[in-house]
């Protein structure tokens, strides 16, 4: 894997993402999953929403910018859902909360506060599903490339390939309703193609700001999530004149981040649905 990443590594001045050169340190996201750590990232998120996201006073002229903001808010919602799931897991395993984790200990209360329509962010769930649809559309667009990599030993090991193929055969990827959100986003971006450099710049800033997260596990998963969404945006509008990017040029790191982030959103939506049913 390191050899592949070293070969593909490139520094693009005005790219959608930047990441460090490969090292000997690799993390298995199954063995190193998200967890409830008690870390409060409110200051980082305030900076993201107020300083990195677009100011969209004129919605008609900047519909794609509003959609960019919705996607970022969707990541925030996904992470909130992961925190709530972590609290649930801690309770179900009868594991005690440390002193740093005593701030939030009730998943139902946190769901209502963070994600419900009557909570602090009334559109949190809508944004969660919107970003999920963008990711699904991007994965659909990169499907052939992913399947191609699944057949190459040097690009992907057998276990990963076996786990990936069923995901790429899911009917949800071909659902026409899923493509509506990305379709409107892409068409709006094409109308304002000269401003797309602003999206690339903000995507890079979203990944950079994760360095300010003072929790190692949160920082790692935050960087993966931001790169995953940035890759999806690149796939959808990162090509010439706002068209989709050439997926054959995507790196293993970008593709892996996008698929891991899709999985994060899927689990987050499962958590939200279970709490809504309760």
């Amino acid at each position: 894997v390191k050899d592949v990443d070293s070969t593909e590594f490139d520094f693009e001045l005005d790219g959608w993402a930047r990441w460090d050169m490969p090292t000997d340190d690799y993390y298995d996201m199954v063995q190193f999953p998200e967890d409830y750590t008690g870390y409060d990232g409110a200051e980082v998120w305030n900076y993201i929403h107020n300083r990195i996201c677009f100011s969209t006073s004129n919605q008609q002229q900047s519909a794609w910018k509003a959609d960019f903001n919705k996607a970022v808010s969707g990541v925030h919602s996904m992470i909130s859902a992961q925190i709530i799931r972590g609290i649930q897991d801690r309770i179900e395993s009868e594991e005690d909360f440390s002193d740093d984790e005593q701030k939030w200990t009730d998943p139902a209360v946190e769901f209502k506060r963070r994600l419900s329509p009557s909570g602090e962010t009334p559109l949190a769930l809508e944004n969660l599903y919107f970003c999920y649809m963008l990711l699904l559309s991007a994965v659909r667009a990169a499907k052939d490339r992913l399947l191609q990599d699944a057949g190459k030993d040097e690009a992907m090991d057998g276990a990963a390939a076996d786990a990936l193929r069923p995901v790429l055969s899911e009917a949800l990827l071909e659902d026409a309703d899923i493509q509506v959100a990305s379709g409107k986003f892409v068409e709006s971006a094409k109308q304002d193609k000269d401003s797309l450099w602003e999206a690339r710049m903000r995507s890079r800033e979203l990944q950079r700001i994760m360095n300010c997260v003072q929790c190692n596990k949160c920082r790692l998963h935050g960087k993966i999530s931001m790169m995953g969404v940035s890759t999806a945006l690149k796939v959808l509008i990162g090509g010439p004149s706002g068209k989709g990017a050439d997926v054959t040029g995507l790196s293993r790191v970008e593709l892996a981040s996008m698929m891991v982030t899709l999985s994060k959103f899927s689990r987050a939506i499962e958590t939200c649905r279970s709490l809504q049913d309760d």
Side-chain angles (χ1 to χ4, degrees):
V1 171
K2 181 181 176 183
D3 291 341
V4 172
D5 291 344
S6 297
T7 301
E8 294 181 343
F9 179 79
D10 189 21
F11 179 83
E12 190 176 357
L13 186 62
D14 189 28
W16 288 85
R18 287 181 189 157
W19 59 94
D20 297 332
M21 292 185 67
T23 68
D24 291 329
D25 296 325
Y26 282 83
Y27 292 89
D28 186 330
M29 292 297 99
V30 175
Q31 297 181 1
F32 199 73
E34 306 96 336
D35 192 10
Y36 174 50
T37 65
Y39 175 72
D40 186 350
E43 289 189 12
V44 174
W45 279 113
N46 286 337
Y47 186 89
I48 288 172
H49 291 304
N50 296 322
R51 302 292 296 275
I52 296 180
C53 286
F54 288 101
S55 174
T56 53
S57 56
N58 190 329
Q59 297 287 331
Q60 188 65 32
Q61 291 183 358
S62 54
W64 72 268
K65 294 181 181 180
D67 285 346
F68 180 98
N69 291 353
K70 286 180 68 175
V72 174
S73 295
V75 178
H76 193 172
S77 298
M78 178 272 288
I79 291 175
S80 292
Q82 299 288 12
I83 291 170
I84 294 167
R85 184 174 60 84
I87 297 172
Q88 279 184 317
D89 292 344
R90 192 70 61 85
I91 293 171
E92 290 172 2
S93 64
E94 298 182 348
E95 194 175 337
D96 292 333
F97 290 94
S98 69
D99 291 341
D100 292 337
E101 297 166 347
Q102 290 292 334
K103 186 175 181 180
W104 307 310
T105 57
D106 188 327
V109 169
E110 289 307 310
F111 174 78
K112 183 175 182 180
R113 179 175 74 86
R114 297 168 182 260
L115 296 172
S116 75
S118 60
E120 296 174 353
T121 311
L123 297 179
L125 287 176
E126 178 180 320
N127 295 334
L128 175 71
Y129 278 96
F130 177 79
C131 192
Y132 184 50
M133 288 190 287
L134 292 186
L135 282 160
L136 287 168
S137 297
V139 170
R140 177 179 180 271
K143 181 177 178 178
D144 290 343
R145 163 66 194 279
L146 288 161
L147 287 171
Q148 182 182 12
D149 283 0
K152 296 179 180 177
D153 293 339
E154 67 274 14
M156 191 180 304
D157 64 48
D162 290 342
L164 178 63
R165 290 188 185 97
V167 174
L168 297 178
S169 65
E170 284 286 339
L172 190 60
L173 291 177
E174 305 299 330
D175 191 317
D177 291 337
I178 296 294
Q179 310 304 320
V180 171
S182 64
K184 293 180 178 179
F185 173 58
V186 170
E187 288 306 312
S188 175
K190 287 179 181 177
Q191 301 303 315
D192 195 21
K193 57 182 182 297
D194 292 337
S195 297
L196 291 181
W197 65 268
E198 297 182 62
R200 295 192 295 273
M201 177 185 70
R202 283 167 170 78
S203 292
R204 297 193 301 271
E205 289 300 306
L206 287 171
Q207 293 160 68
R208 282 186 60 199
I209 195 64
M210 289 297 109
N211 290 321
C212 296
V213 174
Q214 302 300 305
C215 161
N216 291 337
K217 181 177 282 190
C218 307
R219 186 186 312 120
L220 171 64
H221 284 278
K223 284 189 173 185
I224 292 170
S225 299
M226 290 305 184
M227 179 171 281
V229 172
S230 293
T231 302
L233 296 176
K234 177 179 179 179
V235 168
L236 295 173
I237 62 171
S241 302
K243 298 178 182 179
D246 179 6
V247 296
T248 62
L250 295 175
S251 71
R252 189 203 67 84
V253 171
E254 290 173 303
L255 290 167
S257 296
M258 184 169 66
M259 295 308 300
V260 170
T261 305
L262 179 68
S263 175
K264 290 176 181 291
F265 270 82
S266 297
R267 292 198 303 273
I269 287 172
E270 287 179 2
T271 298
C272 292
R273 284 178 173 172
S274 68
L275 286 163
Q276 285 178 303
D277 291 340
D278 292 342

